[in-house]
Amino acid sequence: MEPIDHFDRKILGIIQVDCQMKAEAIGDLVGLSASAVQRRLKRMRDSGIITAEIALIDRKVAGNPMTFIAGMEIERENYDALSKFRVWLAKQEHIQQVYYVTGSVDLIAIITARDVGEYDEITANLMSENPQIKRIHTNVVLKDIKLGMFVPVAE
Amino acid sequence: MEPIDHFDRKILGIIQVDCQMKAEAIGDLVGLSASAVQRRLKRMRDSGIITAEIALIDRKVAGNPMTFIAGMEIERENYDALSKFRVWLAKQEHIQQVYYVTGSVDLIAIITARDVGEYDEITANLMSENPQIKRIHTNVVLKDIKLGMFVPVAE
DNA sequence: CCTGAAAAGAACTTTCT
DNA sequence: AGAAAGTTCTTTTCAGG
């Protein structure tokens, strides 16, 4: 993967907050011309440093106001079934994030739903479709304190 | 908050995956002219239905390849200190997401760091700056199975 | 009120130095 | 890299449902 310089880092810091900002405005902030910024953006998109540019929307308007954090235990034996699980997950729109972790549970998922009833349906389906999952510990999110995907760009 | 119609829902579904898609391309997908799509986008941005448009970047390139999920226990008495905590959190770039939850822990945070050492520094600082946090249970993320912020838009 | 289409304006891409 | 020309996209305007 291509190396990035000081200007790239600054640009990444900006577009992680607002990727619709005009190249000229970014240029003013980082001390570069609009052309140079555009070139760098194109290079970072093409090389995969920028993996996606997405809109965040109001969950209530989308009809999925609730969030749940599910800790899951899986059977050690067939934990190679993860690849199949991955394929299955890609199609599950309500399951936003899944992490394979160390600790008291094996997987942690962040799931969005209309209400508790719908969450129940989702987890019931999750367990029936993926028998390697033995147990689910649920935390209901009462309040989003901070939500983001921002990653600091180290110098 | 303004109501949204079928076209808005389709547009939201698209820009949650790619917010740089051209209005004409979106129009082709949803069956609307480019002008109409632009108008709807502007309205949804102004009204706060679209809360942000952000770039996702490669964590390794950013120098923060590791992710940790921290479950935190807080003292019941001064859990109104949440508002101060919130202000403090806003400045903590390594702490991406924080949820106030029911269950065995009170808060769950998703934290990004260069390595375990840096994570240790972050949590040490977290606890010294916020004495109401009594205990932290850490899950180290071994693999990101799915990462996203996509929210399905109910009809 | 919202659409589609065309004109006007702004941004991006390319080329050149 | 920056600047200017060329191209594309967005914004505004306007007529019509």
Side-chain angles (χ1 to χ4, degrees):
Chain A
M1 187 146 286
E2 293 181 31
I4 59 174
D5 66 9
H6 182 67
F7 289 116
D8 291 328
R9 287 179 233 276
K10 280 183 138 180
I11 294 170
L12 290 175
I14 293 166
I15 63 169
Q16 280 192 89
V17 176
D18 178 9
C19 69
Q20 298 291 18
M21 186 177 283
K22 306 305 173 193
E24 196 181 345
I26 297 172
D28 291 345
L29 292 174
V30 304
L32 231 44
S33 70
S35 311
V37 172
Q38 299 278 22
R39 270 192 291 264
R40 283 163 182 273
L41 283 173
K42 175 166 172 46
R43 183 165 39 74
M44 293 194 286
R45 285 177 181 130
D46 292 348
S47 67
I49 293 172
I50 297 170
T51 55
E53 286 163 275
I54 64 169
L56 303 183
I57 69 169
D58 188 301
R59 310 165 82 81
K60 294 185 294 298
V61 175
N64 288 287
M66 295 199 72
T67 306
F68 302 86
I69 299 179
M72 300 179 268
E73 293 173 36
I74 57 177
E75 280 181 35
R76 295 270 174 181
E77 295 117 51
N78 53 345
Y79 83 143
D80 60 346
L82 267 182
S83 55
K84 285 175 196 163
F85 185 47
R86 208 164 189 155
V87 174
W88 182 83
L89 278 172
K91 290 175 284 185
Q92 305 305 308
E93 296 199 326
H94 286 270
I95 304 176
Q96 298 189 312
Q97 304 171 40
V98 181
Y99 302 94
Y100 181 52
V101 301
T102 64
S104 54
V105 294
D106 301 299
L107 292 166
I108 294 177
I110 296 185
I111 297 172
T112 184
R114 171 168 28 88
D115 50 37
V116 180
E118 192 181 41
Y119 173 74
D120 220 46
E121 285 174 31
I122 293 165
T123 51
N125 185 244
L126 174 70
M127 291 188 77
S128 77
E129 296 255 20
N130 302 278
Q132 69 272 30
I133 294 169
K134 300 196 75 172
R135 209 172 137 69
I136 299 182
H137 305 263
T138 296
N139 295 93
V140 180
V141 174
L142 301 174
K143 195 183 283 203
D144 300 329
I145 309 289
K146 182 171 182 174
L147 280 180
M149 280 276 143
F150 186 93
V151 182
V153 187
E155 283 298 327
Chain B
M1 183 145 291
E2 295 179 30
I4 59 173
D5 66 9
H6 182 68
F7 288 118
D8 291 329
R9 287 180 233 278
K10 278 183 141 181
I11 293 171
L12 289 174
I14 293 166
I15 64 170
Q16 278 193 91
V17 175
D18 178 9
C19 68
Q20 299 292 20
M21 186 178 282
K22 307 304 173 196
E24 196 181 343
I26 297 172
D28 290 344
L29 292 174
V30 305
L32 230 44
S33 71
S35 312
V37 172
Q38 300 278 23
R39 269 192 293 265
R40 284 163 180 272
L41 283 173
K42 177 167 172 44
R43 181 163 35 75
M44 293 194 284
R45 285 178 181 129
D46 293 347
S47 67
I49 293 172
I50 297 171
T51 56
E53 286 162 275
I54 65 170
L56 303 183
I57 68 170
D58 187 299
R59 311 165 82 82
K60 295 185 293 298
V61 175
N64 288 286
M66 295 198 73
T67 306
F68 302 86
I69 299 179
M72 299 179 270
E73 294 173 34
I74 58 176
E75 280 182 34
R76 293 271 173 182
E77 295 117 52
N78 53 347
Y79 84 143
D80 59 347
L82 267 181
S83 55
K84 287 174 195 164
F85 185 46
R86 210 164 184 153
V87 174
W88 182 84
L89 277 173
K91 292 175 285 188
Q92 305 304 310
E93 295 201 325
H94 286 269
I95 304 176
Q96 299 190 310
Q97 303 171 41
V98 181
Y99 301 94
Y100 181 50
V101 302
T102 64
S104 53
V105 293
D106 302 299
L107 292 166
I108 293 177
I110 296 184
I111 298 172
T112 183
R114 174 169 24 92
D115 49 38
V116 179
E118 193 181 41
Y119 173 73
D120 221 46
E121 286 174 30
I122 294 166
T123 50
N125 185 244
L126 174 70
M127 291 189 78
S128 77
E129 297 254 22
N130 303 279
Q132 69 271 30
I133 292 169
K134 301 195 75 171
R135 210 174 136 69
I136 300 181
H137 305 262
T138 297
N139 294 93
V140 180
V141 174
L142 301 174
K143 195 183 281 204
D144 300 330
I145 309 289
K146 182 170 182 174
L147 281 180
M149 281 276 143
F150 186 93
V151 182
V153 187
E155 281 301 324

